[in-house]
Amino acid sequence: MAENTKYIDTKETSPSPKDFKSDQEVRWCPGCGNHAIMNAIQKALPHMGIPREKFAFISGIGCSSRFPYYMNTYGFHGIHGRATAIASGTKTANPDLSVWQITGDGDSMAIGGNHLIHAVRRNVDINIVIFNNEIYGLTKGQYSPTSKLGAKTKSSPYGTIENPFHPGELIIGAQGRFFARSVDTNMNLNQEIFLEAEKHKGTSVVEIAQNCVIYNDKTHAEITNKKYKEDRQIVLRHGEPMIFGKNRDKGIVLEGLKLKVVELGKDGYTEDDLLVHDATLKDPGIHLMLANMQYPNYPVAVGVIRAVKDETYERKLENQIRQVKEQSEFGCVDDLLHSGNTWEVK
């Protein structure tokens, strides 16, 4: 658990994870990574100290977007690519709600890409969870904006010739204040991240590397396989040195303007030489480099990579409305209707 993560005692203050499960039959494929992600969210929600009726889960279209049906909360299953717009409107109109957008890589980064980057830029206080399986699963296996270069799919039988989006690069490049990454099977880390996302005021984006057992099985296996995941992932925690590896003998240092992987005890490197993660840096430079680390040259960074405080869109909107009201010469609609030139018709 992150050092600054505080769980709330749920015995008296909140419902249990079971209370967040609806009575609907879950129709995801057996073995789909969606099951683990939903379980982690349902386990994290009671620890947020928020009444169940204050949660709203919003989705677009895709396998992951069936999520609201399975939650015993308010929810909205929207249209393709428009979940971000609906979630933004929901939060702006009802600032006291905890709004969660559930979306896939196709739903959020293709048809919904424009809405996504502008919500991030505006810093609307919503939590966006991107289920990234690098494929269109619901429509049976076409390549998506995050599919690897050269991926052979039903719509790219000879391999894609497009460079994929990297969600972290896209979000941080759009002035994102909060970005985290995890994998579907890491239940404990996912709960930590969801709690941090809810505490963050502004748009939080969480990318989950999710496995589609039918159309893109093992697409993330090079970093999630149990045999070597500890050597190919690094868990970032604010205030802690960037150390990783099965034997905790590797780390990340900054040399010049580049990150470098080093072995502790070799070439004179010690733990004191390692970078200490600071998720609150306003300058996105280091965060962008961390989010872009890819295997085999680097371990893939998971955990909260960036968490920078800033004023939210809805707070700015509230302040603007209040200021306009205070400075307005009109106290009510009647004042407005009887202002300026008026005529009496006889």
Side-chain angles (χ1 to χ4, degrees), residues 304-321:
V304 177
I305 295 173
R306 181 170 173 82
V308 177
K309 292 182 179 179
D310 199 358
E311 199 168 15
T312 65
Y313 176 85
E314 55 270 28
R315 177 59 61 88
K316 291 179 180 177
L317 182 63
E318 290 172 4
N319 290 339
Q320 186 180 60
I321 291 173

Side-chain angles (χ1 to χ4, degrees), residues 28-42:
W28 288 323
C29 302
C32 173
N34 292 358
H35 295 280
I37 301 172
M38 184 171 69
N39 285 336
I41 289 180
Q42 290 171 336

Side-chain angles (χ1 to χ4, degrees), residues 13-15 20 45-46 48-56 73-74 96-98:
T13 59
S14 300
F20 285 98
L45 294 182
M48 296 178 184
I50 300 172
R52 192 164 51 88
E53 64 272 18
K54 292 293 185 183
F55 286 102
T73 64
Y74 287 107
D96 61 335
L97 292 182
S98 176

Side-chain angles (χ1 to χ4, degrees), residues 148-208:
K148 293 179 178 67
L149 179 66
K152 293 184 178 180
T153 71
K154 290 188 176 180
S155 58
S156 59
Y158 304 109
T160 68
I161 55 174
E162 302 176 15
N163 289 315
F165 267 143
H166 299 143
E169 185 176 34
L170 183 72
I171 299 305
I172 295 174
Q175 304 176 38
R177 284 74 159 179
F178 186 105
F179 176 75
R181 180 191 292 127
S182 189
V183 299
D184 50 10
T185 53
N186 197 334
M187 295 280 288
N188 291 333
L189 179 61
N190 290 345
Q191 290 179 63
E192 292 177 26
I193 290 174
F194 295 139
L195 288 170
E196 294 298 319
E198 171 53 37
K199 287 194 299 185
H200 178 77
K201 299 306 175 187
T203 306
S204 69
V205 179
V206 181
E207 176 197 7
I208 306 285

Side-chain angles (χ1 to χ4, degrees), residues 36-234:
I37 301 172
M38 184 171 69
N39 285 336
I41 289 180
Q42 290 171 336
K43 286 185 176 181
L45 294 182
H47 297 282
M48 296 178 184
I50 300 172
R52 192 164 51 88
E53 64 272 18
K54 292 293 185 183
F55 286 102
F57 282 82
I58 312 293
S59 67
I61 293 295
C63 291
S64 64
S65 292
R66 294 189 59 79
F67 198 98
Y69 293 121
Y70 309 140
M71 298 297 294
N72 189 18
T73 64
Y74 287 107
F76 193 104
H77 189 185
I79 56 177
H80 203 193
R82 304 296 178 255
T84 310
I86 298 168
S88 298
T90 302
K91 182 65 180 182
T92 305
N94 302 275
D96 61 335
L97 292 182
S98 176
V99 177
W100 292 75
Q101 177 190 337
I102 305 298
T103 185
D105 45 294
D107 185 60
S108 62
M109 297 195 173
I111 188 172
N114 198 34
H115 292 297
L116 177 72
I117 60 175
H118 289 292
V120 169
R121 174 180 64 85
R122 292 170 180 140
N123 203 30
V124 184
D125 188 18
I126 57 178
N127 306 296
I128 301 174
V129 185
I130 300 174
F131 292 35
N132 184 7
N133 55 19
E134 301 180 349
I135 199 79
Y136 283 96
L138 186 68
T139 49
K140 298 182 171 45
Q142 298 83 13
Y143 74 91
S144 83
T146 60
S147 295
K148 293 179 178 67
L149 179 66
K152 293 184 178 180
T153 71
K154 290 188 176 180
S155 58
S156 59
Y158 304 109
T160 68
I161 55 174
E162 302 176 15
N163 289 315
F165 267 143
H166 299 143
E169 185 176 34
L170 183 72
I171 299 305
I172 295 174
Q175 304 176 38
R177 284 74 159 179
F178 186 105
F179 176 75
R181 180 191 292 127
S182 189
V183 299
D184 50 10
T185 53
N186 197 334
M187 295 280 288
N188 291 333
L189 179 61
N190 290 345
Q191 290 179 63
E192 292 177 26
I193 290 174
F194 295 139
L195 288 170
E196 294 298 319
E198 171 53 37
K199 287 194 299 185
H200 178 77
K201 299 306 175 187
T203 306
S204 69
V205 179
V206 181
E207 176 197 7
I208 306 285
Q210 178 254 338
N211 192 44
C212 173
V213 291
I214 303 299
Y215 296 108
N216 208 18
D217 194 22
K218 297 182 174 57
T219 187
H220 302 294
E222 65 183 13
I223 64 166
T224 59
N225 189 297
K226 292 181 180 178
K227 294 180 180 177
Y228 33 69
K229 65 178 183 180
E230 291 169 320
D231 289 312
R232 298 180 181 180
Q233 294 180 29
I234 181 170

Side-chain angles (χ1 to χ4, degrees), residues 233-253:
Q233 294 180 29
I234 181 170
V235 182
L236 298 180
R237 288 191 167 89
H238 179 71
E240 296 185 8
M242 298 183 190
I243 189 169
F244 70 102
K246 189 174 182 178
N247 299 316
R248 304 289 290 170
D249 58 352
K250 301 173 185 174
I252 304 293
V253 300

